[in-house]
Amino acid sequence: QVQVVQSGAEVKKPGASVKVSCTTSGYRFINYGLGWVRQAPGQGLEWMGWISPYNGDTDYALKFQGRVTMTTDTSTSTVYMEVRSLRSDDTALYYCARYNSNWYLDYWGQGTLVTVSS
Amino acid sequence: DIQMTQSPSSLSASVGDRVTITCRASQGITHSLAWYQHKPGSAPNLLVFAASRLESGVPSRFSGSGSGTDFTLTISSLQPEDFATYFCQQYNTFPRTFGQGTRVEMK
């Protein structure tokens, strides 16, 4: 069955970077895109962008362009998301989720809590 | 960006109640809407896609309806395991956008 497993919680200082991983299994990795969504405390869900494991193409939400990079490792069926120049308002639960062929998110990871604090 | 307005933000209900949650898009999205259930500490779970199609394995007490700008998720008879947060997402255009969520609490 399809599984999406994310890396563990991180605590970072303002200005630092964080790289979250998302390892998938149970399907052919290159056939489906993967998206990233975050939820800050008390806030709604915010779409950050997505990546195609087939060719590495990415599309980032405007507010994250220049500060977020998504990459893939097809040898381990893993996608990564790096967020640079962290601020306190980047404190959030970050989710990775698979895009199915009809372009909605069908399988989600368990979330990775990133805390930015001095 | 398409704004998704979900209501109510929370509701209290009892087991057996019929629950209705609505989601309104700021512009037409045809049928490109999904509903998810989210419990703390767990991954969100897809319930409905294409506005009204039930994901495999989802109990039939869940149903979705609507098209264009107005959508509804209905739980026909609330069960103890249904107390959770529900949110909608449009996938008609990028950036994908979400409703703010509806927390279904026990009365």
Coordinates of all heavy atoms in Angstrom, one line a residue, chain A residues 49-115:
Chain A
G49 N 4.1 24.3 -2.5 CA 4.6 24.0 -3.9 C 4.6 22.5 -4.1 O 4.1 21.7 -3.3
W50 N 5.1 22.1 -5.3 CA 5.1 20.7 -5.6 C 6.3 20.4 -6.5 O 6.9 21.3 -7.1 CB 3.8 20.2 -6.3 CG 3.7 20.6 -7.7 CD1 3.4 21.8 -8.2 CD2 4.0 19.8 -8.8 NE1 3.4 21.8 -9.6 CE2 3.7 20.5 -10.0 CE3 4.3 18.4 -9.0 CZ2 3.9 20.0 -11.3 CZ3 4.4 17.9 -10.3 CH2 4.2 18.7 -11.4
I51 N 6.7 19.1 -6.6 CA 7.8 18.7 -7.4 C 7.4 17.5 -8.2 O 6.7 16.6 -7.7 CB 9.1 18.5 -6.6 CG1 10.3 18.1 -7.5 CG2 8.8 17.4 -5.5 CD1 11.6 18.2 -6.8
S52 N 7.9 17.4 -9.4 CA 7.7 16.2 -10.2 C 9.0 15.3 -10.1 O 10.0 15.7 -10.5 CB 7.5 16.5 -11.7 OG 7.7 15.4 -12.5
P53 N 8.8 14.1 -9.5 CA 10.0 13.2 -9.4 C 10.4 12.7 -10.8 O 11.5 12.2 -11.0 CB 9.5 12.1 -8.6 CG 8.4 12.6 -7.8 CD 7.7 13.6 -8.7
Y54 N 9.6 12.9 -11.8 CA 9.9 12.4 -13.1 C 11.0 13.2 -13.8 O 12.0 12.6 -14.3 CB 8.7 12.4 -14.0 CG 8.9 12.0 -15.4 CD1 9.1 10.7 -15.8 CD2 8.9 13.0 -16.5 CE1 9.3 10.3 -17.1 CE2 9.2 12.6 -17.8 CZ 9.4 11.3 -18.1 OH 9.6 10.9 -19.4
N55 N 10.9 14.5 -13.7 CA 11.9 15.4 -14.3 C 12.4 16.5 -13.4 O 13.2 17.3 -13.8 CB 11.3 16.0 -15.6 CG 10.1 16.8 -15.3 OD1 9.7 17.1 -14.1 ND2 9.3 17.1 -16.3
G56 N 12.0 16.5 -12.1 CA 12.5 17.5 -11.2 C 11.8 18.9 -11.3 O 12.2 19.8 -10.6
D57 N 10.9 19.0 -12.2 CA 10.2 20.3 -12.3 C 9.5 20.7 -11.0 O 9.0 19.8 -10.3 CB 9.1 20.2 -13.4 CG 9.7 20.3 -14.8 OD1 10.9 20.6 -14.9 OD2 8.9 20.2 -15.8
T58 N 9.5 21.9 -10.7 CA 8.9 22.4 -9.5 C 8.0 23.6 -9.8 O 8.2 24.3 -10.8 CB 10.0 22.9 -8.5 OG1 10.9 23.8 -9.1 CG2 10.8 21.7 -8.0
D59 N 7.1 23.9 -8.8 CA 6.3 25.1 -8.9 C 6.1 25.5 -7.4 O 5.6 24.7 -6.7 CB 5.0 24.8 -9.6 CG 4.1 26.1 -9.7 OD1 4.7 27.2 -9.6 OD2 2.9 25.9 -9.9
Y60 N 6.5 26.7 -7.1 CA 6.5 27.2 -5.7 C 5.4 28.3 -5.6 O 5.3 29.1 -6.5 CB 7.8 27.7 -5.2 CG 8.9 26.7 -5.3 CD1 10.1 27.1 -6.0 CD2 8.9 25.5 -4.8 CE1 11.2 26.2 -6.1 CE2 9.9 24.6 -4.8 CZ 11.1 24.9 -5.5 OH 12.1 24.0 -5.6
A61 N 4.7 28.3 -4.5 CA 3.8 29.4 -4.2 C 4.7 30.7 -4.2 O 5.8 30.7 -3.8 CB 3.1 29.2 -2.9
L62 N 4.1 31.8 -4.6 CA 4.8 33.0 -4.8 C 5.6 33.4 -3.5 O 6.7 33.8 -3.5 CB 3.8 34.1 -5.1 CG 4.4 35.3 -5.8 CD1 5.1 34.9 -7.1 CD2 3.3 36.3 -6.1
K63 N 4.9 33.3 -2.3 CA 5.5 33.7 -1.1 C 6.8 32.9 -0.7 O 7.6 33.4 0.1 CB 4.5 33.8 0.1 CG 4.1 32.4 0.6 CD 3.2 32.6 1.8 CE 3.9 33.1 3.0 NZ 3.0 33.1 4.2
F64 N 6.9 31.7 -1.3 CA 8.1 30.9 -0.9 C 9.2 30.9 -2.0 O 10.3 30.3 -1.7 CB 7.6 29.5 -0.7 CG 6.6 29.4 0.5 CD1 5.3 29.1 0.3 CD2 7.1 29.6 1.8 CE1 4.4 29.0 1.3 CE2 6.2 29.5 2.9 CZ 4.9 29.2 2.6
Q65 N 8.9 31.5 -3.1 CA 9.9 31.5 -4.1 C 11.2 32.2 -3.7 O 11.1 33.3 -3.1 CB 9.4 32.2 -5.4 CG 8.3 31.3 -6.1 CD 7.7 32.0 -7.3 OE1 8.2 33.0 -7.8 NE2 6.7 31.4 -7.9
G66 N 12.3 31.6 -3.9 CA 13.6 32.1 -3.5 C 14.1 31.7 -2.1 O 15.2 31.9 -1.7
R67 N 13.1 31.1 -1.3 CA 13.5 30.7 0.0 C 13.3 29.2 0.2 O 13.7 28.6 1.3 CB 12.6 31.5 1.0 CG 13.3 31.6 2.4 CD 12.6 32.8 3.2 NE 11.2 32.5 3.5 CZ 10.8 31.9 4.6 NH1 11.7 31.5 5.5 NH2 9.5 31.7 4.8
V68 N 12.6 28.6 -0.7 CA 12.3 27.1 -0.6 C 12.8 26.4 -1.8 O 12.7 26.9 -2.9 CB 10.8 26.9 -0.5 CG1 10.4 25.4 -0.7 CG2 10.3 27.4 0.9
T69 N 13.4 25.2 -1.6 CA 13.9 24.4 -2.7 C 13.4 23.0 -2.4 O 13.6 22.4 -1.3 CB 15.4 24.4 -2.8 OG1 15.8 25.7 -3.0 CG2 15.8 23.5 -4.0
M70 N 12.8 22.4 -3.4 CA 12.3 21.0 -3.4 C 13.2 20.2 -4.3 O 13.4 20.6 -5.5 CB 10.8 20.9 -3.8 CG 9.9 21.7 -2.8 SD 8.2 21.7 -3.3 CE 7.6 22.8 -2.1
T71 N 13.6 19.0 -3.9 CA 14.4 18.2 -4.7 C 14.0 16.7 -4.5 O 13.2 16.4 -3.6 CB 15.9 18.2 -4.3 OG1 16.0 18.0 -2.9 CG2 16.5 19.6 -4.6
T72 N 14.5 15.8 -5.4 CA 14.1 14.4 -5.3 C 15.3 13.6 -5.4 O 16.4 13.9 -5.9 CB 13.1 14.0 -6.4 OG1 13.8 14.1 -7.7 CG2 11.9 14.9 -6.5
D73 N 15.2 12.4 -4.8 CA 16.2 11.3 -5.0 C 15.5 10.1 -5.4 O 14.9 9.4 -4.6 CB 16.9 11.1 -3.6 CG 18.0 10.1 -3.7 OD1 18.1 9.3 -4.7 OD2 18.8 10.0 -2.8
T74 N 15.6 9.8 -6.7 CA 14.8 8.7 -7.2 C 15.3 7.3 -6.7 O 14.6 6.3 -6.7 CB 14.8 8.7 -8.8 OG1 16.1 8.7 -9.2 CG2 14.0 9.9 -9.3
S75 N 16.6 7.3 -6.3 CA 17.2 6.0 -5.8 C 16.6 5.6 -4.5 O 16.6 4.4 -4.2 CB 18.7 6.1 -5.7 OG 19.0 7.0 -4.6
T76 N 16.0 6.5 -3.7 CA 15.4 6.2 -2.4 C 14.0 6.6 -2.4 O 13.3 6.5 -1.3 CB 16.2 6.9 -1.3 OG1 16.1 8.3 -1.5 CG2 17.6 6.5 -1.2
S77 N 13.4 7.0 -3.5 CA 12.0 7.4 -3.6 C 11.7 8.5 -2.5 O 10.6 8.4 -1.8 CB 11.0 6.2 -3.4 OG 11.2 5.3 -4.4
T78 N 12.6 9.5 -2.4 CA 12.5 10.5 -1.4 C 12.5 11.9 -2.0 O 13.2 12.1 -3.0 CB 13.7 10.4 -0.4 OG1 13.6 9.1 0.2 CG2 13.6 11.5 0.7
V79 N 11.6 12.7 -1.5 CA 11.7 14.1 -1.8 C 12.1 14.9 -0.6 O 11.9 14.5 0.5 CB 10.3 14.7 -2.4 CG1 10.0 14.0 -3.6 CG2 9.2 14.6 -1.3
Y80 N 12.7 16.0 -0.9 CA 13.2 16.9 0.2 C 12.7 18.3 0.0 O 12.5 18.8 -1.1 CB 14.8 17.0 0.2 CG 15.4 15.6 0.4 CD1 15.8 14.8 -0.7 CD2 15.8 15.2 1.7 CE1 16.4 13.6 -0.4 CE2 16.4 14.0 1.9 CZ 16.7 13.2 0.8 OH 17.3 12.0 1.0
M81 N 12.5 19.0 1.1 CA 12.2 20.4 1.0 C 13.1 21.2 2.0 O 13.1 20.9 3.2 CB 10.7 20.7 1.4 CG 10.4 22.2 1.3 SD 8.7 22.6 1.8 CE 8.8 22.2 3.6
E82 N 13.8 22.1 1.4 CA 14.7 23.0 2.3 C 14.0 24.4 2.3 O 13.7 24.9 1.3 CB 16.1 23.1 1.7 CG 17.0 23.9 2.5 CD 18.4 24.0 1.9 OE1 18.5 24.1 0.7 OE2 19.4 24.0 2.7
V83 N 14.0 24.9 3.6 CA 13.5 26.2 3.8 C 14.7 27.0 4.4 O 15.2 26.5 5.4 CB 12.3 26.3 4.7 CG1 11.8 27.7 4.9 CG2 11.2 25.4 4.2
R84 N 15.1 28.1 3.8 CA 16.2 28.9 4.2 C 15.7 30.1 5.0 O 14.6 30.5 4.9 CB 17.1 29.3 3.0 CG 17.7 28.1 2.3 CD 18.4 28.5 1.1 NE 17.6 29.0 0.0 CZ 16.8 28.3 -0.8 NH1 16.8 27.0 -0.7 NH2 16.1 28.9 -1.7
S85 N 16.7 30.8 5.6 CA 16.4 32.0 6.3 C 15.2 31.9 7.2 O 14.2 32.8 7.1 CB 16.3 33.2 5.3 OG 17.4 33.3 4.5
L86 N 15.1 30.9 8.0 CA 13.9 30.7 8.9 C 13.6 31.9 9.8 O 14.5 32.5 10.3 CB 14.2 29.4 9.7 CG 14.1 28.1 8.9 CD1 14.7 27.0 9.7 CD2 12.7 27.8 8.5
R87 N 12.3 32.1 9.9 CA 11.8 33.1 10.8 C 10.9 32.4 11.8 O 10.4 31.3 11.6 CB 11.0 34.2 10.0 CG 11.8 34.8 8.9 CD 11.0 35.9 8.2 NE 9.8 35.3 7.5 CZ 9.8 35.3 6.2 NH1 10.8 35.6 5.5 NH2 8.7 34.8 5.6
S88 N 10.5 33.1 12.9 CA 9.6 32.5 13.9 C 8.3 32.2 13.3 O 7.7 31.2 13.7 CB 9.5 33.5 15.0 OG 8.9 34.7 14.6
D89 N 7.8 32.9 12.3 CA 6.5 32.6 11.7 C 6.6 31.4 10.7 O 5.6 31.0 10.1 CB 5.9 33.8 11.0 CG 6.7 34.4 9.9 OD1 7.8 33.8 9.6 OD2 6.2 35.3 9.3
D90 N 7.8 30.8 10.6 CA 7.9 29.5 9.8 C 7.6 28.3 10.7 O 7.6 27.2 10.3 CB 9.3 29.4 9.2 CG 9.5 30.3 8.0 OD1 8.6 30.5 7.2 OD2 10.6 30.9 8.0
T91 N 7.5 28.6 12.0 CA 7.1 27.5 13.0 C 5.8 26.9 12.5 O 4.8 27.6 12.4 CB 7.0 28.0 14.4 OG1 8.3 28.4 14.8 CG2 6.4 27.0 15.3
A92 N 5.8 25.6 12.2 CA 4.6 25.0 11.6 C 4.8 23.5 11.5 O 5.9 23.0 11.7 CB 4.3 25.6 10.2
L93 N 3.7 22.9 11.3 CA 3.7 21.4 10.9 C 3.7 21.4 9.4 O 2.9 22.0 8.7 CB 2.4 20.8 11.5 CG 2.3 19.3 11.7 CD1 3.5 18.8 12.5 CD2 1.0 19.0 12.4
Y94 N 4.7 20.7 8.9 CA 4.9 20.6 7.4 C 4.5 19.2 6.9 O 5.0 18.2 7.5 CB 6.4 20.9 7.1 CG 6.8 22.4 7.2 CD1 7.0 22.9 8.5 CD2 6.9 23.2 6.2 CE1 7.3 24.2 8.7 CE2 7.2 24.6 6.3 CZ 7.4 25.1 7.6 OH 7.7 26.4 7.8
Y95 N 3.7 19.2 5.9 CA 3.2 18.0 5.4 C 3.7 17.8 3.9 O 3.7 18.7 3.1 CB 1.7 17.9 5.4 CG 1.0 17.9 6.7 CD1 0.5 19.0 7.3 CD2 0.9 16.7 7.4 CE1 -0.1 19.0 8.5 CE2 0.2 16.6 8.6 CZ -0.2 17.7 9.2 OH -0.9 17.7 10.4
C96 N 4.0 16.5 3.6 CA 4.2 16.1 2.3 C 3.1 15.2 1.9 O 2.5 14.5 2.7 CB 5.5 15.3 2.3 SG 5.9 14.3 0.8
A97 N 2.6 15.4 0.6 CA 1.5 14.6 0.1 C 1.7 14.3 -1.3 O 2.2 15.1 -2.1 CB 0.2 15.3 0.4
R98 N 1.1 13.1 -1.7 CA 1.2 12.7 -3.1 C 0.1 13.3 -4.0 O -1.1 13.3 -3.6 CB 1.2 11.2 -3.2 CG 1.5 10.6 -4.6 CD 1.3 9.1 -4.7 NE -0.1 8.8 -4.9 CZ -0.5 7.6 -5.4 NH1 0.4 6.7 -5.7 NH2 -1.8 7.4 -5.5
Y99 N 0.4 13.7 -5.2 CA -0.6 14.1 -6.2 C -0.9 12.9 -7.0 O 0.0 12.3 -7.6 CB -0.1 15.2 -7.1 CG -0.2 16.6 -6.6 CD1 0.9 17.3 -6.1 CD2 -1.5 17.2 -6.5 CE1 0.7 18.6 -5.6 CE2 -1.6 18.5 -6.0 CZ -0.5 19.1 -5.6 OH -0.7 20.4 -5.1
N100 N -2.2 12.6 -7.1 CA -2.5 11.4 -7.9 C -2.7 12.0 -9.4 O -2.5 13.1 -9.7 CB -3.7 10.7 -7.4 CG -5.0 11.4 -7.7 OD1 -5.1 12.5 -8.2 ND2 -6.1 10.7 -7.4
S101 N -3.1 11.1 -10.3 CA -3.2 11.4 -11.7 C -4.2 12.5 -12.0 O -4.2 13.1 -13.1 CB -3.4 10.2 -12.5 OG -4.6 9.5 -12.1
N102 N -5.2 12.7 -11.1 CA -6.2 13.7 -11.3 C -5.9 15.0 -10.5 O -6.7 15.9 -10.5 CB -7.6 13.2 -10.9 CG -8.0 12.1 -11.8 OD1 -8.1 12.3 -13.0 ND2 -8.4 10.9 -11.3
W103 N -4.7 15.0 -10.0 CA -4.2 16.3 -9.4 C -4.7 16.7 -8.1 O -4.7 17.9 -7.8 CB -4.2 17.4 -10.4 CG -3.1 17.3 -11.5 CD1 -3.3 16.8 -12.7 CD2 -1.8 17.5 -11.2 NE1 -2.0 16.7 -13.3 CE2 -1.1 17.2 -12.4 CE3 -1.0 17.9 -10.2 CZ2 0.3 17.3 -12.6 CZ3 0.4 18.1 -10.3 CH2 1.0 17.7 -11.5
Y104 N -5.3 15.8 -7.3 CA -5.6 16.1 -6.0 C -4.6 15.3 -5.1 O -4.1 14.3 -5.5 CB -7.1 15.9 -5.6 CG -7.6 14.5 -5.9 CD1 -7.5 13.5 -4.9 CD2 -8.2 14.2 -7.1 CE1 -7.9 12.2 -5.2 CE2 -8.6 12.9 -7.4 CZ -8.5 11.9 -6.4 OH -9.0 10.7 -6.7
L105 N -4.5 15.7 -3.8 CA -3.6 15.1 -2.9 C -4.3 13.9 -2.3 O -5.3 14.0 -1.7 CB -3.1 16.0 -1.8 CG -2.4 17.3 -2.3 CD1 -2.2 18.3 -1.2 CD2 -1.0 16.9 -2.8
D106 N -3.7 12.7 -2.5 CA -4.4 11.5 -2.0 C -3.8 10.9 -0.8 O -4.5 10.4 0.1 CB -4.7 10.5 -3.1 CG -3.4 10.0 -3.8 OD1 -2.3 10.4 -3.5 OD2 -3.5 9.1 -4.7
Y107 N -2.4 10.8 -0.7 CA -1.8 10.2 0.4 C -0.9 11.2 1.1 O 0.0 11.8 0.4 CB -1.0 9.0 0.0 CG -1.9 7.8 -0.4 CD1 -2.2 7.6 -1.7 CD2 -2.4 6.9 0.6 CE1 -3.0 6.5 -2.1 CE2 -3.2 5.9 0.2 CZ -3.5 5.7 -1.1 OH -4.3 4.7 -1.5
W108 N -1.0 11.4 2.4 CA -0.3 12.4 3.1 C 0.7 11.8 4.1 O 0.4 10.7 4.6 CB -1.2 13.3 3.9 CG -2.2 14.2 3.1 CD1 -3.1 13.7 2.2 CD2 -2.3 15.6 3.2 NE1 -3.8 14.8 1.7 CE2 -3.3 16.0 2.3 CE3 -1.6 16.6 3.9 CZ2 -3.7 17.3 2.1 CZ3 -2.0 17.9 3.7 CH2 -3.0 18.2 2.8
G109 N 1.8 12.5 4.4 CA 2.7 12.1 5.4 C 2.1 12.5 6.8 O 1.1 13.2 6.9
Q110 N 2.8 12.1 7.8 CA 2.3 12.3 9.2 C 2.6 13.7 9.7 O 2.2 14.2 10.7 CB 2.9 11.3 10.2 CG 4.3 11.6 10.6 CD 5.4 11.2 9.6 OE1 5.2 11.0 8.4 NE2 6.6 11.1 10.1
G111 N 3.4 14.5 8.9 CA 3.8 15.8 9.3 C 5.1 15.9 10.0 O 5.5 15.0 10.7
T112 N 5.8 17.0 9.8 CA 7.1 17.3 10.5 C 7.0 18.6 11.2 O 6.7 19.6 10.5 CB 8.2 17.3 9.5 OG1 8.4 16.0 8.9 CG2 9.5 17.7 10.2
L113 N 7.1 18.6 12.5 CA 7.0 19.9 13.2 C 8.4 20.6 13.1 O 9.4 20.0 13.5 CB 6.7 19.7 14.7 CG 6.6 20.9 15.6 CD1 5.5 21.9 15.0 CD2 6.3 20.5 17.0
V114 N 8.4 21.8 12.6 CA 9.6 22.6 12.6 C 9.3 23.8 13.5 O 8.4 24.6 13.3 CB 9.9 23.1 11.2 CG1 11.1 24.1 11.2 CG2 10.2 21.9 10.3
T115 N 10.2 23.9 14.5 CA 10.1 25.0 15.5 C 11.2 26.0 15.3 O 12.4 25.5 15.3 CB 10.1 24.5 16.9 OG1 9.0 23.6 17.1 CG2 9.9 25.6 17.9

